[in-house]
Amino acid sequence: MELLESPIRKYAWGSLTAIATLQGRPAPTAEPEAELWMGAHPASPSRLAVSGTSLVDAIAADPVGLLGAPGVERFGPRLPFLLKVLAAAQPLSLQAHPTLAQAREAHAAGHPSYVDAWHKPEMLVALTDFDALCGFRDPAATAADLAALGVAGLEETVGALRQDDKAAALHDAVRGLLGKPDTRLVEEVVAACAARGGAYSLAPALAEQYPGDAGVIVAMLLNRVRLRQGEAVWMPAGNLHAYLRGVGVEIMAASDNVLRGGLTPKHVDVEELLRVLRFEVLDDPVTRPIDLAPGLVTWPVPVPDFTLHRAVVDPARDGTAAVRLPGGGPRIVLCVRGAVRVDDGVVPVTLVAGQAAFAPATRGELAVSGEGDVFQAATP
């Protein structure tokens, strides 16, 4: 295994404390730190700590040795996933991602909203209590909530949401709100929500950062999710979502294809967003861990680009001296608590919280010992 030096992305919505505290650095930091990237993304690749070589260059020099022949055949000479620690102190934009077929077709056609030919399904596992928006609520319930505000300008949206065809109801409501954004309507809705408080607190909170943004109302069409530590949200292609606040481990297919739906100063491509969105009700947005063995859990996802496992070793608490992580394909192991030894049978490494290491596809199962908590990102 090889220790990684991984970059931190600094965005305005990031935390001044979370990533620094995880890594044992002084906090608060001078600038918000939003994401710790572990992988081979060309914009901010991890580096092999001993040689200083970027993981992108290392893979280019020996793709089969690092990724395995099956991986190169399926995904090309590229690491198909990106692992992150995400620390949100403020809400992120509403967004969705295309299917693989949609991405390939649109990128080949030169569509400006597509920067590559890959899909970008994502999953986030909460390290702290985590607030998010994920998937559409039942439109009839949203219609009742909006109607109760008594805002005259919402009549068209409420009428659209009351259609018997739920997919059409959601489509028409989103199109109406984003296709002709109305700053005054947003302000009226925010004022009405603020007067009611309680369950209506989301809109005023979002409007503090994004005043007049139509996404403030679109957000009310989505499920408000409050994750506890270890719970996850899964965002397949077409799922409209946004992170609001909290710290989590995020894994995604390696792509930059994002269709935004509001809560952003960036361009919102309404027509393309409407084309890729899945207008279906998501009754339960929360994905819960599945126990595989003592100290080992996973969150199954129906994509070939990545898997995520979590191993907890704590001999004093439960007698777990070691946990074996599944083998196969290239892997990145991230420690989020304690100090652990990760043994690949060739070159073991010791990780403390906030450190990560890379195992090439040629290595077998990884044995984790010590006392701590790790995540493994891999291909199935």
Side-chain angles (χ1 to χ4, degrees):
M1 297 196 68
E2 296 209 44
L3 285 170
L4 294 176
E5 295 175 350
S6 297
I8 294 172
R9 305 284 287 192
K10 298 177 180 179
Y11 305 131
W13 50 263
S15 170
L16 294 171
T17 59
I19 295 177
T21 300
L22 174 69
Q23 296 185 323
R25 294 184 284 113
T29 52
E31 299 176 86
E33 296 180 342
E35 297 178 342
L36 173 65
W37 284 22
M38 292 150 285
H41 193 289
S44 292
S46 298
R47 292 188 171 275
L48 302 177
V50 174
S51 66
T53 304
S54 81
L55 196 50
V56 170
D57 291 341
I59 289 171
D62 186 13
V64 172
L66 269 62
L67 305 177
V72 173
E73 182 178 357
R74 182 159 202 173
F75 300 106
R78 57 190 288 276
L79 189 66
F81 60 82
L82 178 63
L83 183 67
K84 299 180 180 181
V85 174
L86 183 145
Q90 299 177 18
L92 283 67
S93 63
L94 286 169
Q95 57 188 263
H97 310 292
T99 65
L100 185 57
Q102 288 168 338
R104 286 177 173 171
E105 179 184 1
H107 183 64
H111 194 293
S113 292
Y114 291 80
V115 296
D116 56 60
W118 298 95
H119 64 169
K120 194 186 177 190
E122 303 174 347
M123 181 171 65
L124 180 135
V125 178
L127 291 179
T128 67
D129 288 346
F130 198 100
D131 285 356
L133 301 170
C134 184
F136 288 108
R137 303 172 62 208
D138 188 304
T142 305
D145 289 345
L146 294 181
L149 292 173
V151 176
L154 283 176
E155 291 174 355
E156 183 177 335
T157 302
V158 171
L161 290 169
R162 283 175 171 164
Q163 295 179 77
D164 291 335
D165 184 329
K166 293 184 179 182
L170 293 167
H171 174 278
D172 292 351
V174 174
R175 175 183 283 279
L177 291 167
L178 296 182
K180 47 180 181 181
D182 186 335
T183 300
R184 173 177 280 185
L185 174 61
V186 175
E187 293 172 348
E188 292 176 356
V189 169
V190 169
C193 288
R196 283 183 167 263
Y200 288 91
S201 62
L202 176 63
L206 295 177
E208 287 184 10
Q209 187 171 355
Y210 303 104
D213 191 312
V216 169
I217 305 178
V218 174
M220 299 176 72
L221 278 61
L222 304 181
N223 292 296
R224 178 80 179 269
V225 183
R226 291 182 173 88
L227 299 176
R228 294 174 295 181
Q229 194 266 351
E231 294 181 329
V233 280
W234 159 241
M235 283 77 66
N239 175 295
L240 190 60
H241 62 275
Y243 298 137
L244 301 179
R245 183 178 293 272
V247 182
V249 170
E250 185 182 34
I251 186 166
M252 62 185 63
S255 169
D256 286 326
N257 286 325
V258 178
L259 283 305
R260 294 177 177 84
L263 306 183
T264 177
K266 297 181 180 179
H267 174 63
V268 176
D269 186 341
V270 176
E271 292 305 317
E272 189 61 19
L273 177 70
L274 291 170
R275 190 176 79 89
V276 306
L277 281 181
R278 295 169 60 175
F279 292 103
E280 57 189 29
V281 176
L282 182 59
D283 291 324
D284 185 4
V286 179
T287 299
R288 294 165 181 85
I290 303 297
D291 292 324
L292 298 179
L296 181 66
V297 302
T298 190
W299 299 261
V301 294
V303 294
D305 308 75
F306 60 79
T307 61
L308 188 68
H309 291 81
R310 184 176 192 168
V312 178
V313 285
D314 195 341
R317 185 186 69 185
D318 53 23
T320 306
V323 176
R324 301 193 71 84
L325 290 163
R331 282 148 288 166
I332 292 176
V333 177
L334 164 69
C335 180
V336 296
R337 182 184 62 84
V340 297
R341 184 175 189 265
V342 185
D343 191 350
D344 62 356
V346 180
V347 182
V349 297
T350 297
L351 301 177
V352 297
Q355 285 188 322
F358 176 78
T362 52
R363 309 293 163 85
E365 289 186 341
L366 307 180
V368 183
S369 57
E371 193 278 319
D373 192 342
V374 302
F375 285 84
Q376 175 185 271
T379 50

